[in-house]
């Protein structure tokens, strides 16, 4: 059995006051044990305060990016050790905005994955095709290339990894992949993991869906066998919509 996960990527949003308020509301709503794991990903300057506010609570903390070196002359960068120091357990790696806006390559993403794992963080590796790639029918080829670097990781490292299928055309656009299209890609990803690492690890792998997830579509997505939760952008910025997504996800969990 996989424990589903709902992750909120705040991107470059929420200042101090909003961070405090949102975490306060989420802590109040999800103070007891619930059936899914929840994690939030505030911006770097608010991680320490977030960690303090989440101490002893149900919600876990993650960062949106990291650098692969542990320290040194890398002006403006943040290392895995620093993220651990301020209380992060997760880190997003290879988000499509990092790949497309900041031109991160699969090689750099693999270095980041290795650095995160080495520091004991759980990386959430994002993969997904653009609209042009989908229209050409090359989405499996694209995602296979993005997954390729994982074959350099050990089975133990793979157990600490979370995957997120995020079709680029669905991120922040209001267009969600149909549950069937998302399930097909999740099943493809799980088969790829099975081929590389065997049944045990592929059965354990948490694969999140990301791309315009809302309270209205979380249930139909999570009803699919290979969709284990969601990486949520826009709808995670509001306590009511994020909580409704978490509640929707809990309802899909079989006892
Ligand atoms: C994301 O940023 O990972 C994302 C899925 O954003 P949104 O939910 O806003 O589409």
């Amino acid at each position: 059995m996989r424990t589903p996960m709902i992750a909120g990527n705040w991107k470059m949003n929420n200042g101090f006051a909003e961070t405090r308020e949102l975490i306060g509301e989420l802590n109040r709503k999800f103070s007891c044990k619930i059936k899914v794991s929840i994690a939030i990903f505030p911006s770097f300057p608010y991680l320490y305060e977030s960690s303090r506010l989440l101490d002893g609570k149900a919600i876990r903390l993650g960062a949106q990016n990291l650098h692969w070196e542990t320290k040194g002359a890398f002006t403006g960068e943040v290392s895995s050790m620093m993220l651990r120091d301020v209380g992060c357990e997760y880190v997003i790696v290879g988000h499509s905005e990092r790949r497309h806006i900041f031109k991160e390559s699969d090689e750099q993403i693999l270095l980041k994955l290795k650095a995160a794992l080495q520091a004991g963080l759980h990386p959430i590796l994002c993969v997904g095709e653009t609209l042009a790639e989908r229209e050409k029918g090359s989405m499996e080829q694209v995602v296979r290339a993005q997954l390729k670097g994982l074959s350099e990781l050990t089975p133990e490292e793979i157990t600490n990894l979370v995957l997120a299928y995020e079709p680029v055309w669905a991120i922040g656009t209001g267009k969600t992949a149909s549950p069937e299209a998302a399930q097909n890609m999740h099943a493809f990803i799980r088969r790829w993991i099975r081929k590389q690492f065997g049944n045990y690890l592929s059965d354990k792998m948490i694969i999140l869906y990301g791309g315009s997830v809302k309270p209205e579509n979380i249930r139909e997505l999570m009803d699919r066998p290979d969709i284990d939760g969601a990486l949520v952008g826009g709808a995670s910025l509001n306590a009511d919509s994020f909580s409704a997504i978490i509640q929707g996800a809990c309802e899909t969990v079989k006892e």
Side-chain angles (χ1 to χ4, degrees), residues 127-142:
V127 297
E129 79 286 355
T130 63
L131 185 57
E133 289 161 343
R134 173 155 286 260
E135 282 171 348
K136 267 201 307 200
S138 59
M139 56 271 186
E140 291 190 355
Q141 204 182 318
V142 168

Side-chain angles (χ1 to χ4, degrees), residues 26-27 39 42 122 190 203 221:
L26 293 173
N27 277 342
H122 298 282
R190 202 177 300 286
D203 288 349
L221 286 161

Side-chain angles (χ1 to χ4, degrees), residues 7 9-11 92 95-97 126 164-168 170-175 209-214 230-236:
N9 174 12
W10 292 2
K11 310 193 184 188
I92 298 172
H95 190 277
S96 70
E97 287 150 17
C126 301
Y165 169 62
E166 298 208 303
V168 181
I171 297 178
T173 58
K175 288 185 200 147
Y209 168 79
S212 298
V213 171
K214 314 181 254 287
L231 178 53
V232 186
S236 71

